Amino acid sequence: MKHLFLIRHAKSSWDSDNLSDKDRPLNPRGEEQLAPLGRALRRYGAMTGEIHVSPALRAQQTLKGILPPSIGEAQIYTNPELYTFDYRRLLQWLQNCDDQAQTLAIVGHNPALLELAATLVPHAPFELPTASFIHIRLPIKHWRKLGKREGRLETFLTPVDFSFEAFNRKNQKRHKNAGKATVKDTPSVLLGQAESLAQLHRGVMLGLDDEFLHQYRIALRRSRAVAESLAEVTGNKSLKSHISHLKRHAQATSNLRDLHVFSQDLPQLCSDQPELLKALEQWVCARVDKEQKKLAKRLASKRYRQSLHSWEDELQSRQFRKLIDKLSTRDIQKSVEHRLRMFNRKTAELLHDSPDEDIHNLRKLLKRIRYLMELDIDSWKSALKTLRQRQDLYGRFQDLHVQIELVKRFASNYPEDPNGALQALLDHLIIKKDDTRRLILSIGGLKAG
């Protein structure tokens, strides 16, 4: 069995008419594509065997930007034959490759790569954008036996699959003419969030960029906050089951998101303890993989799909439109004011020894208030600025709480702490959390205006 990875170089520059095609460099967009592409290639095992690259400057720069530090020079080959746009030359070159190479990656050019894929597999992609790759499994022992339609397409990924930045850029283009929403546009707002959930689904399932999950959680929480307010203002009970489903979907992502945040903070937390950093990163990575598989299984389930389709049907129903017709800016304002009073009451009840969960619940309430305010931004501009600052403070407290719990769990599996680095990290996090709690207690409630 052979594995072939066809990697198209990142986006190149056409700014200079004086350069030959072979000497064209990557442009700034292409440079940005390299880190996400490298992460995706490592995840799918593209760097485990021989890596062959075209001598063209854009291909060489792509290779340099995607290589992990562990790759040795003995694995890398620059081949003049790979600077070609003819798939037949690529096919002939592959058929002459050394059979000791079980996994082989090519960093090259279109249309040769795409047409080669169409030759090797029955159902090849119709396009191969820059910084994309195709993984083909070949049921052969010898490269010379490579023939038409004998391969199997294992993976095809483009930047919008493994880079939220690329995904968002494409999504913004699609919605660049979207107008400013009003309260009466609430169905469109909620349908937009439902569309976001569908668009983000693949990125969340793949788990190659943490930001997909973060934005997915935001879409769920926005939808739930508006639905809860509609149910409260109108007294409608048909939204209850949808609210429950949205809540459960968000809860299913919490553990993975907590691990993402902890992983991002680890280099700074353990900057002077490289051994502890390595051990923690390995421990977190194993748990991320486990949680990612669990979430992907949930998102692939029939029950999950049905719940979201049911929610979309509700949003497009005549009954829902009638609910919105009864809704006014004043209704949203009353709902915001009600939640602000609830927030202030619970804030006043906080003590220095209150459970961390009380502060976490206040944070969740803040988010719901914010999403409601954003339905009528003009009325809440100054309040939103203050609320976002407060939300960041409560979020910092929650992150510290989670990190302390994760370090404690790690410590139970890592009993040896010869230089006290683990205990020092735990003490540092506890002090920071206590300081943040005191700051929260000193601020008090929020004003409505």
Side-chain angles (χ1 to χ4, degrees):
M1 189 68 64
K2 305 288 188 185
H3 292 270
L4 176 64
F5 287 85
L6 305 177
I7 307 162
R8 189 180 176 191
H9 62 79
K11 197 170 185 65
S12 58
S13 173
W14 293 87
D15 289 345
S16 177
D17 294 332
N18 298 323
L19 292 175
S20 69
D21 177 78
K22 196 172 184 180
D23 293 327
R24 284 193 296 109
L26 299 182
N27 67 11
R29 178 79 60 81
E31 295 285 351
E32 292 172 1
Q33 292 175 323
L34 297 180
L37 173 60
R39 287 195 298 270
L41 289 169
R42 289 193 293 276
R43 173 76 69 85
Y44 284 88
M47 305 296 189
T48 58
E50 292 184 4
I51 304 169
H52 296 262
V53 58
S54 157
L57 179 58
R58 57 191 183 275
Q60 292 287 322
Q61 289 178 329
T62 297
L63 179 65
K64 183 178 179 181
I66 63 177
L67 283 179
S70 58
I71 294 293
E73 291 185 5
Q75 285 181 248
I76 303 168
Y77 304 86
T78 295
N79 300 100
E81 298 96 323
L82 299 185
Y83 179 62
T84 180
F85 309 102
D86 184 347
Y87 82 92
R88 287 163 293 193
R89 290 185 63 187
L90 274 187
L91 180 60
Q92 185 178 14
W93 177 84
L94 276 169
Q95 289 170 337
N96 289 315
C97 282
D98 189 335
D99 289 328
Q100 289 186 349
Q102 302 302 315
T103 298
L104 192 150
I106 296 174
V107 181
H109 309 271
N110 258 1
L113 294 176
L114 186 60
E115 292 176 357
L116 176 63
T119 301
L120 297 179
V121 300
H123 305 290
F126 293 106
E127 60 177 356
L128 185 65
T130 54
S132 301
F133 70 92
I134 296 170
H135 173 198
I136 299 172
R137 187 172 68 175
L138 299 159
I140 56 173
K141 291 184 179 180
H142 307 285
W143 288 106
R144 66 176 182 273
K145 297 289 187 180
L146 197 61
K148 294 183 178 181
R149 303 298 176 96
E150 291 184 350
R152 172 178 171 178
L153 180 64
E154 290 289 299
T155 308
F156 166 52
L157 293 181
T158 71
V160 296
D161 298 316
F162 52 74
S163 166
F164 179 79
E165 184 178 351
F167 166 87
N168 195 42
R169 187 183 295 113
K170 182 177 180 180
N171 199 47
Q172 283 178 337
K173 286 182 180 179
R174 186 181 300 150
H175 299 294
K176 63 180 179 180
N177 296 320
K180 186 176 180 180
T182 66
V183 172
K184 293 300 181 184
D185 294 320
T186 300
S188 298
V189 171
L190 287 172
L191 279 169
Q193 296 300 327
E195 182 182 359
S196 292
L197 291 173
Q199 293 170 344
L200 290 162
H201 182 268
R202 178 166 168 78
V204 176
M205 288 278 286
L206 290 170
L208 293 166
D209 187 333
D210 299 352
E211 191 63 20
F212 281 106
L213 181 66
H214 179 53
Q215 295 300 324
Y216 175 84
R217 283 165 56 82
I218 288 175
L220 284 172
R221 291 196 299 259
R222 284 185 189 276
S223 301
R224 179 186 169 192
V226 177
E228 284 179 335
S229 295
L230 285 173
E232 176 186 314
V233 171
T234 63
N236 183 277
K237 296 182 179 179
S238 66
L239 297 175
K240 185 176 179 180
S241 64
H242 297 296
I243 293 169
S244 178
H245 287 146
L246 291 169
K247 180 180 179 180
R248 285 203 299 272
H249 296 329
Q251 288 175 335
T253 67
S254 295
N255 289 342
L256 183 55
R257 181 59 185 167
D258 288 342
L259 288 165
H260 285 169
V261 173
F262 188 41
S263 179
Q264 292 164 9
D265 289 348
L266 272 177
Q268 183 178 359
L269 290 171
C270 303
S271 58
D272 57 346
Q273 296 291 340
E275 291 185 7
L276 178 59
L277 173 60
K278 183 178 180 181
L280 273 166
E281 285 180 333
Q282 291 175 344
W283 184 81
V284 169
C285 185
R287 275 144 188 80
V288 166
D289 287 344
K290 183 178 179 181
E291 289 292 335
Q292 177 65 42
K293 289 175 183 177
K294 187 190 301 184
L295 180 61
K297 182 178 179 181
R298 178 187 178 88
L299 266 58
S301 69
K302 183 178 179 181
R303 185 177 180 182
Y304 170 81
R305 293 194 300 271
Q306 286 177 337
S307 73
L308 288 191
H309 290 158
S310 177
W311 174 231
E312 291 176 13
D313 290 343
E314 176 74 29
L315 296 178
Q316 298 179 67
S317 68
R318 182 177 299 178
Q319 180 183 3
F320 189 77
R321 291 283 176 178
K322 288 181 178 179
L323 280 181
I324 299 302
D325 288 341
K326 298 177 184 177
L327 191 66
S328 68
T329 300
R330 178 56 188 158
D331 291 327
I332 295 295
Q333 185 176 353
K334 285 166 64 177
S335 185
V336 169
E337 290 171 349
H338 168 70
R339 280 171 166 72
L340 280 172
R341 288 193 296 271
M342 185 188 306
F343 175 83
N344 289 337
R345 186 181 71 251
K346 291 180 177 295
T347 297
E349 294 170 354
L350 275 181
L351 300 172
H352 72 279
D353 59 350
S354 294
D356 291 357
E357 186 66 19
D358 290 354
I359 297 177
H360 181 45
N361 288 333
L362 284 171
R363 179 198 182 200
K364 291 189 286 188
L365 183 53
L366 271 176
K367 289 180 180 178
R368 292 175 196 166
I369 294 170
R370 173 188 164 187
Y371 298 146
L372 285 176
M373 285 182 173
E374 289 175 346
L375 286 175
D376 187 22
I377 289 178
D378 288 341
S379 299
W380 302 99
K381 281 184 178 178
S382 60
L384 273 167
K385 182 178 179 181
T386 303
L387 191 144
R388 290 189 186 105
Q389 292 171 345
R390 186 71 66 89
Q391 185 180 328
D392 289 342
L393 178 62
Y394 282 62
R396 200 154 65 239
F397 179 88
Q398 177 61 17
D399 289 343
L400 289 165
H401 166 86
V402 169
Q403 290 172 0
I404 289 169
E405 294 304 309
L406 288 172
V407 171
K408 286 180 178 178
R409 278 185 230 166
F410 171 77
S412 66
N413 298 303
Y414 191 78
E416 296 182 5
D417 187 21
N419 60 359
L422 187 56
Q423 186 59 50
L425 172 60
L426 190 57
D427 293 342
H428 170 71
L429 292 171
I430 291 172
I431 290 171
K432 286 185 68 175
K433 191 187 82 168
D434 290 344
D435 289 344
T436 308
R437 174 191 284 269
R438 280 191 288 271
L439 183 56
I440 290 171
L441 289 170
S442 70
I443 292 176
L446 286 165
K447 293 181 179 179

